[in-house]
Amino acid sequence: MSTMPTREKALGMYRKMYEIRQYEETVKYLFFEGIMPGTIHQSAGEEASAVGIIYDLRKEDIVYSTHRPAGHDLAKGISLRSMMCEMFGKADGCCKGKGGAMHTGDMSVGVPPANAIVGGNIPIAAGTALAFKMQKKDNIAVSFMGDGATNEGSFHEGLNFAATWKLPVVYVCENNLYSATTSIHLTTLLENPAAGRASAYGCPGVVVDGNDVLAVNEAMEEAIRRARSGEGPTILELKTYRKYGHSRNDACGYRPKDEEKEWLEDRDPIKTFRARLLAEGVASEEELAQIEECVDTEIDEAVEYAKSSPMPTLASALEDIYAD
């Protein structure tokens, strides 16, 4: 079993996981009520992955996300207000209302706007890591991907380049068993499609229980150490499960009910971590309830702020087109 960290860190991780879950739940209902525009690809259920990977990163480390970026963004430090404004398409959003759900990000905290192309950020992260190495910085890049990305050419090209040059990058495969609506077992014979291919590039491939935030964090600590010390990339394959469908129109009819029960009830990352915090005396029921109440209030305030935030001006469509 993974080791419990300091009380401060454990409660910080729980708070962030709860924040991500409640943010996602709030966004879901706002979409269903027709209050929020656009569409959504939610990461609810994968909170241990986001928090375990990102919690110990520095502000200067760069995190590349996917079309399911909310958990990664919040874990890296983008504010609830900024995220919620972006979801409403408002000028105060993290991308000034131009990104929407699939393209949130904020370079001030080390998160470029997310790349919705499957596997698209894998070689980009390698390029960022190469820049860090050439500049003699000990910063690292982190590339998140889904299990479907392991069958893309960019996976093989990016991994081979990063490993050959021993670049400071960590590749994180959130294997939630489905590439959109297709079971991973129908697209590859490998049980571990990311970690199982690591040996082909001469780098470690580690399989982790992606719903155990402490196990994820421990694996990431070693990956960070390797990256910062010049030993090259690590592939972390996190076995996890999304609570909802691929997008808001996906009713998950293709997923077996017993499979859903196991993952969503018995292995829920927040529920199990909460139970462990109580069982090991890290926090009391009252303390955890107070954390949850504070987060709920912050999310309600973020929604109200976003509703009253101004819309982008027409002229702003011609801004931020090119980098200075």
Side-chain angles (χ1 to χ4, degrees):
M1 179 181 285
S2 49
T3 304
M4 183 67 69
T6 64
R7 169 183 157 86
E8 180 184 8
K9 181 175 180 178
L11 293 183
M13 296 175 99
Y14 179 75
R15 190 187 199 286
K16 186 57 67 173
M17 289 172 67
Y18 183 81
E19 176 186 300
I20 294 169
R21 174 68 62 86
Q22 293 306 104
Y23 169 87
E24 292 276 45
E25 295 289 356
T26 300
V27 164
K28 181 189 73 172
Y29 285 111
L30 288 169
F31 269 105
F32 285 166
E33 292 169 6
I35 298 173
M36 191 175 277
T39 190
I40 48 174
H41 296 76
Q42 296 192 277
S43 65
E46 300 177 357
E47 296 85 1
S49 166
V51 175
I53 292 294
I54 295 174
Y55 199 84
D56 293 327
L57 292 179
R58 302 171 184 168
K59 182 179 179 180
E60 296 78 17
D61 296 326
I62 301 296
V63 172
Y64 288 97
S65 189
T66 66
H67 58 272
R68 214 177 294 284
H72 307 149
D73 292 336
L74 291 170
K76 192 62 165 68
I78 300 181
S79 71
L80 284 168
R81 281 189 174 188
S82 182
M83 286 288 288
M84 201 64 76
C85 283
E86 189 63 32
M87 299 301 285
F88 275 96
K90 297 300 186 68
D92 291 331
C94 55
C95 292
K96 303 180 183 179
K98 301 176 182 181
M102 291 195 294
H103 305 289
T104 47
D106 186 341
M107 282 302 295
S108 71
V109 297
V111 186
N115 190 330
I117 298 172
V118 175
N121 72 48
I122 298 173
I124 297 173
T128 297
L130 176 62
F132 287 151
K133 186 170 184 175
M134 294 176 69
Q135 295 166 356
K136 294 181 169 50
K137 295 179 179 178
D138 69 344
N139 299 339
I140 67 172
V142 176
S143 166
F144 281 96
M145 70 189 84
D147 43 274
T150 64
N151 291 328
E152 293 286 339
S154 57
F155 175 86
H156 305 281
E157 295 169 1
L159 260 294
N160 185 62
F161 179 76
T164 300
W165 288 89
K166 294 187 180 302
L167 300 180
V169 58
V170 180
Y171 288 107
V172 182
C173 174
E174 295 175 306
N175 185 347
N176 57 34
L177 309 184
Y178 293 91
S179 305
T181 60
T182 302
S183 169
I184 189 65
H185 300 299
L186 298 177
T187 62
T188 179
L189 295 178
L190 292 176
E191 185 66 27
N192 305 310
R197 289 166 167 150
S199 60
Y201 306 106
C203 61
V206 184
V207 179
V208 186
D209 178 356
N211 279 20
D212 180 343
V213 67
L214 300 185
V216 173
N217 189 245
E218 285 183 2
M220 185 59 175
E221 285 178 349
E222 173 59 15
I224 290 173
R225 185 202 65 75
R226 291 190 72 256
R228 294 204 200 282
S229 61
E231 296 178 36
T234 301
I235 302 175
L236 300 179
E237 182 167 343
L238 312 183
K239 304 290 189 175
T240 185
Y241 204 78
R242 46 182 162 77
K243 185 176 180 181
Y244 302 114
H246 169 65
S247 64
R248 66 170 175 156
N249 297 318
D250 177 7
C252 295
Y254 49 88
R255 299 198 310 200
K257 296 306 176 186
D258 57 341
E259 177 187 277
E260 288 189 329
K261 180 182 182 302
E262 176 191 356
W263 283 96
L264 301 181
E265 295 182 25
D266 303 336
R267 299 180 63 179
D268 180 278
I270 298 175
K271 178 181 175 182
T272 55
F273 189 45
R274 191 183 199 280
R276 186 174 174 186
L277 291 173
L278 293 172
E280 297 189 19
V282 177
S284 66
E285 176 65 42
E286 292 73 19
E287 288 173 314
L288 295 181
Q290 184 177 20
I291 289 172
E292 292 158 4
E293 183 180 351
C294 288
V295 170
D296 292 342
T297 298
E298 289 177 7
I299 290 176
D300 289 341
E301 291 174 349
V303 172
E304 293 307 310
Y305 181 86
K307 286 180 178 179
S308 61
S309 177
M311 294 294 291
T313 63
L314 186 60
S316 70
L318 301 179
E319 297 172 356
D320 306 311
I321 305 300
Y322 300 100
D324 292 330

